Amino acid sequence: TYAHHSFTNDFDHDPDLHHFHALIRVHKRFKHHSIYQQQNKLWFVILAYSLVVFGTCFWIPVGMIRDGSLYGIVEWTDRNRRLRSAAMFLHVVCYAGFIVVLPFWTMPWYRALAAVIVHLATSGLSFAFFSQINHLNEASLMDDATRAKREASRRDARLSKSWAVEQVETSNNFCTNSFAWHILSNGLNLQIEHHLFPGLNHCHLHHIAPVVRETCLEYGVCYKEYNGWIDIFNATLNWLDKLADEDGATSGRKVKNERNWIKTIPVPLIPSTLCIN
């Protein structure tokens, strides 16, 4: 969490970009593998997202225990603390035991299998749909040329290496005026404000959003806001389509054939008028 909030969408320092790399390519710097060709299919993306919480709660702790770090990016310093190290082992055993194994001891195998699948899928999709898609699109994973253009457009040279600017321009908001989406997403529909003030309770984020938006406009910082959840999800799907090819040249080619049913409003590359093209 600390690394993600400190170095959002930085390939070398943000571990969140590496959560899906076994199945999905979310950054151009990942070496292309044949399995990534499947990520232009909606069912495959849903399947990968369904597994993310299992990976977070089980495979990631196992990997940290084995390697002493998170993807070689964040060192697991607690391994030298006996109680915390023991707590990590206990977490892995309890999660696997209670979530995966115990149901098969308490109910028929088919009901147990259904219970495990439903738990993993719903928790995984909830996490991915309300947190990961807020960072994973072309407008938020800028290439060097786009980054340089945005930096040149800012009205204050001091902002060129600003941590706060990076948080704004690598995050996305959606349905900012919707109370229902605010509740469903636990406030992550205001992801920009959440990243700027991670310690602020999400019930207060809507109070500061107008100030953040106006400040970004004043200083020429790209503030990205989508009208609907479908729009921001489509932006992520379009990005995954593009990275499905090794050279990243798909550019949404499969969307027209396979995802028309999910597209309600065309999604521009830069969704807000507050962004500098």
Side-chain angles (χ1 to χ4, degrees), residues 227-251:
N227 291 327
W229 179 87
I230 290 294
D231 300 331
I232 192 173
F233 186 47
N234 275 334
T236 296
L237 295 181
N238 287 337
W239 178 239
L240 296 180
D241 284 337
K242 196 166 192 176
L243 295 186
D245 282 357
E246 186 170 2
D247 58 1
T250 305
S251 190

Side-chain angles (χ1 to χ4, degrees), residues 16-29:
D16 277 26
L17 292 177
H18 300 254
H19 287 335
F20 303 96
H21 76 278
L23 296 174
I24 291 181
R25 184 186 184 208
V26 301
H27 197 286
K28 288 184 177 180
R29 286 184 59 184

Side-chain angles (χ1 to χ4, degrees), residues 25 30-37 243-247:
R25 184 186 184 208
F30 281 114
K31 182 180 179 181
H32 191 273
H33 298 290
S34 58
I35 194 171
Y36 296 149
Q37 295 173 1
L243 295 186
D245 282 357
E246 186 170 2
D247 58 1

Side-chain angles (χ1 to χ4, degrees), residues 92-266:
V92 171
V93 172
C94 289
Y95 183 85
F98 286 113
I99 300 300
V100 180
V101 177
L102 185 61
F104 289 92
W105 286 85
T106 59
M107 62 184 74
W109 71 268
Y110 54 90
R111 290 179 58 188
L113 181 62
V116 171
I117 292 175
V118 168
H119 166 77
L120 295 179
T122 54
S123 57
L125 293 175
S126 297
F127 175 75
F129 284 168
F130 296 125
S131 66
Q132 298 304 296
I133 65 172
N134 292 350
H135 296 292
L136 303 179
N137 55 55
E138 189 166 6
S140 301
L141 288 157
M142 297 172 284
D143 56 29
D144 292 339
T146 303
R147 186 182 299 275
K149 189 174 182 179
R150 288 189 185 173
E151 288 180 356
S153 71
R154 292 169 191 153
R155 299 176 177 85
D156 191 326
R158 293 173 298 178
L159 300 181
S160 61
K161 302 299 180 182
S162 167
W163 172 86
V165 169
E166 288 296 316
Q167 299 309 304
V168 173
E169 295 195 342
T170 56
S171 302
N172 304 264
N173 288 353
F174 67 94
C175 304
T176 55
N177 295 320
S178 171
F179 178 73
W181 280 110
H182 184 74
I183 296 299
L184 285 172
S185 66
N186 199 33
L188 293 182
N189 62 323
L190 293 167
Q191 186 81 353
I192 292 173
E193 288 70 25
H194 166 64
H195 261 256
L196 287 173
F197 304 97
L200 184 65
N201 189 286
H202 66 273
C203 69
H204 301 301
L205 294 177
H206 69 283
H207 292 297
I208 66 171
V211 178
V212 173
R213 188 184 297 109
E214 291 171 7
T215 303
C216 290
L217 180 60
E218 178 182 354
Y219 287 93
V221 176
C222 183
Y223 185 100
K224 302 185 297 299
E225 191 172 35
Y226 291 84
N227 291 327
W229 179 87
I230 290 294
D231 300 331
I232 192 173
F233 186 47
N234 275 334
T236 296
L237 295 181
N238 287 337
W239 178 239
L240 296 180
D241 284 337
K242 196 166 192 176
L243 295 186
D245 282 357
E246 186 170 2
D247 58 1
T250 305
S251 190
R253 180 177 62 215
K254 298 295 185 181
V255 174
K256 185 178 294 183
N257 296 327
E258 297 186 19
R259 296 184 181 150
N260 278 343
W261 64 272
I262 202 170
K263 296 178 80 68
T264 56
I265 301 174

